[in-house]
Amino acid sequence: MKIRLEEVTWGGVKVDGIPSLDNPTLLDADSADYLVGSDEVFGVAINGDVRAYPLRIMGWHEMFNDTIGGVPVA
């Protein structure tokens, strides 16, 4: 696929304009009442530590920084 350079435009977001999700507050699944059954999550399991990051929240932040199972993850 070829990209036409004249169609590439800047999206208007400044450097650091999209905040990363840093060390998010953890909830158990039953307490996450803002989620519905059809919500998709990005799941990570490291050393027995399991996390689920809702994709619609990650769509806003685009990146997370956390420690999972003792391992720093971005």
Side-chain angles (χ1 to χ4, degrees):
M1 174 181 276
K2 292 186 178 185
I3 298 173
R4 296 177 55 192
L5 292 180
E6 66 272 12
E7 293 182 5
V8 176
T9 60
W10 175 56
V13 178
K14 297 177 184 175
V15 173
D16 296 327
I18 301 173
S20 61
L21 183 60
D22 297 324
N23 301 309
T25 301
L26 301 178
L27 301 172
D28 60 63
D30 292 333
S31 298
D33 56 4
Y34 56 91
L35 293 174
V36 297
S38 61
D39 282 342
E40 295 179 327
V41 298
F42 176 72
V44 182
I46 301 175
N47 297 328
D49 191 0
V50 180
R51 307 284 173 90
Y53 301 88
L55 290 181
R56 66 181 158 99
I57 292 174
M58 292 309 304
W60 169 256
H61 292 281
E62 295 187 358
M63 179 177 179
F64 71 88
N65 296 296
D66 206 353
T67 301
I68 305 170
V71 178
V73 178

